[in-house]
C-alpha cells in the first residue's frame, strides 16, 4: 500500500465513527430501497440520511473490514456476496466481482483479523467462507459441511430444511453459526486454504429456531430464537460450548404471529436488547448470574412496524423497521438500561440492518 493510500485510509477511518451503513431490501426482495444506505449519527442521537451509498440488489446484511475501507454485503435474492470499497465520507463502489453464495444469503460477517468473510444462507442452509487478500478482496471460496438435523427422529418422513442464519466470531478465533431450521449452534475452526472445519455443535430444543447471536465480554454467547421467541446462553467449558440457560425473550410472552429478530448488548454488557416482529417491541433483558442468565425487565414499543434489526451506540438505541420504512432512536438510561420515548424517527426505505462503518 502506498503512503498516500495509507493516509487516505486513515482519514476515512477517522470519519467512520459516526456513520452507519443501512442494509436494505430492494424491489427484487419486495422492498423499496435502491441499495446500501448511509446515515450520520449526531451527538444528540439523531440520524441524518446521507443517501444511497451504492446501488445494490437487496443488500440485506452488511459487514465491515476491521482495518481497510472495504464493506461486504449479501445480495440475498441473487445468491451472491459482494465487496465494496469506500470513498469519501459515505459512498461505496463495487470492488472486484460478486462471488457466488447460496439461496437466500441473509448474513455476512468478517473475521476481526481480516482473514476471511463468512456468509449464511437461509434458503439452503449453506455456510460459506471467502478468504481475503491483503487489500480486502475476496479470493478463495470454501463451502462448509452441510448440517445434519439432530432432531430428525422427531419429524420422520418430513425432513426439515437446514437454514443457516448468522455467524459470530468467537474470542478464541473460532466461528459460531446458527441453524434456524435444525435448531443448532455449529462451532467451526478456520483452516487457511480449507475454510471452516467442523469442531462441535450445541443442540437446542426442537422447533426453537436460533436466529441471531451476540458475544458477551466474559466469553458467553447470547442467542435469540425466531420461532419460540426465547433467549439462550451458552458458555465455553474446556473447549466446547455448553447450554447453561433458556428463558423467555420478553416479559409478556410471545403472541400469535410473533418472531424474534435480533439481540444486542448495551454498552456496559449488563443489559441485552431483543427485538420481536409482530408485536413490534424491544425487550430489555438484565444480564444476571455473572453473565449466565438473561432476565426480561421490560417490553416497549419499538417505534414502527417489523423491527428487523437494532443496534446500541453509546446511550442510543436505533431500531430499523422493515415494513414502516423508518429507524426509531431511543435514549437509554445508563443505570436501568430502559429507554425513554422515541427521540427521533428517520425515514429509510426497507431497512434490514444497521452496521457501524468503523
Amino acid at each position: 500500500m502506498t503512503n498516500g493510500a495509507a493516509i487516505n485510509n486513515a482519514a476515512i477511518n477517522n470519519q467512520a465513527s459516526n456513520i452507519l451503513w443501512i442494509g436494505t431490501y430492494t424491489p427484487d426482495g419486495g422492498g423499496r430501497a435502491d441499495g446500501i444506505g448511509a446515515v450520520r449519527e449526531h451527538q444528540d442521537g439523531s440520524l441524518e440520511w446521507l443517501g444511497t451509498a451504492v446501488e445494490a440488489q437487496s443488500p440485506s446484511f452488511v459487514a465491515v473490514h476491521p482495518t481497510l475501507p472495504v464493506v461486504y454485503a449479501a445480495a440475498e435474492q441473487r445468491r451472491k456476496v459482494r465487496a465494496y470499497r469506500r470513498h469519501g465520507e459515505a459512498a461505496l463502489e463495487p470492488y472486484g466481482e460478486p462471488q457466488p453464495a447460496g439461496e437466500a444469503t441473509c448474513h455476512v460477517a468478517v473475521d476481526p483479523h481480516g482473514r476471511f468473510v463468512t456468509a449464511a444462507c437461509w434458503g439452503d442452509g449453506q455456510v460459506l467462507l471467502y478468504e481475503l487478500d491483503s487489500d480486502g478482496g475476496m479470493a478463495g471460496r470454501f463451502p462448509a459441511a452441510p448440517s445434519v438435523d439432530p432432531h430428525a427422529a422427531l419429524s420422520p418422513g418430513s425432513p426439515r430444511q437446514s437454514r443457516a442464519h448468522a455467524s459470530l466470531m468467537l474470542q478464541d478465533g473460532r466461528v459460531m453459526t446458527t441453524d434456524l431450521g435444525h435448531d443448532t449452534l455449529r462451532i467451526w475452526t478456520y483452516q487457511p486454504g480449507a475454510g471452516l472445519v467442523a469442531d462441535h455443535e450445541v443442540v437446542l430444543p426442537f422447533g426453537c429456531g436460533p436466529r441471531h447471536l451476540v458475544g458477551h465480554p466474559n466469553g458467553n454467547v447470547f442467542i435469540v430464537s425466531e420461532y419460540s421467541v426465547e433467549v439462550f446462553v451458552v458458555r465455553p467449558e474446556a473447549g466446547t460450548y455448553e447450554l447453561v440457560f433458556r428463558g423467555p425473550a420478553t416479559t409478556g410472552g410471545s403472541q400469535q404471529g410473533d418472531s424474534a429478530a435480533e439481540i444486542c448488548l448495551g454498552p456496559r454488557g449488563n443489559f441485552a436488547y431483543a427485538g420481536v416482529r409482530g408485536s413490534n417491541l424491544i425487550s430489555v433483558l438484565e444480564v444476571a448470574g455473572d453473565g449466565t442468565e438473561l432476565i426480561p425487565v421490560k417490553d416497549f414499543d419499538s417505534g414502527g412496524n417489523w423491527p428487523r434489526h437494532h443496534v446500541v451506540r453509546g446511550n442510543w438505541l436505533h431500531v430499523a423497521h422493515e415494513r414502516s420504512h423508518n429507524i426509531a432512536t431511543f435514549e437509554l438510561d445508563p443505570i436501568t438500561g430502559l429507554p425513554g420515548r422515541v427521540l427521533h424517527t428517520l425515514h429509510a426505505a426497507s431497512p434490514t440492518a444497521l452496521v457501524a462503518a468503523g
Side-chain angles (χ1 to χ4, degrees), residues 268-306:
R268 285 161 286 279
N270 52 346
F271 293 99
Y273 299 85
V276 180
R277 300 166 295 184
S279 291
N280 296 334
L281 57 86
I282 302 292
S283 172
V284 183
L285 301 109
E286 180 184 2
V287 179
D290 293 325
T292 61
E293 302 177 26
L294 293 171
I295 309 302
V297 175
K298 184 177 181 179
D299 306 335
F300 64 96
D301 188 288
S302 65
N305 185 16
W306 215 249

Side-chain angles (χ1 to χ4, degrees), residues 211-245:
R211 179 181 169 95
H212 274 204
L213 66 177
V214 63
H216 190 272
N218 68 6
N220 293 352
V221 177
F222 303 158
I223 302 98
V224 68
S225 59
E226 178 170 336
Y227 297 151
S228 63
V229 193
E230 293 178 291
V231 288
F232 299 86
V233 179
V234 296
R235 180 174 60 191
E237 296 282 357
T240 63
Y241 280 83
E242 305 292 338
L243 178 63
V244 296
F245 179 81

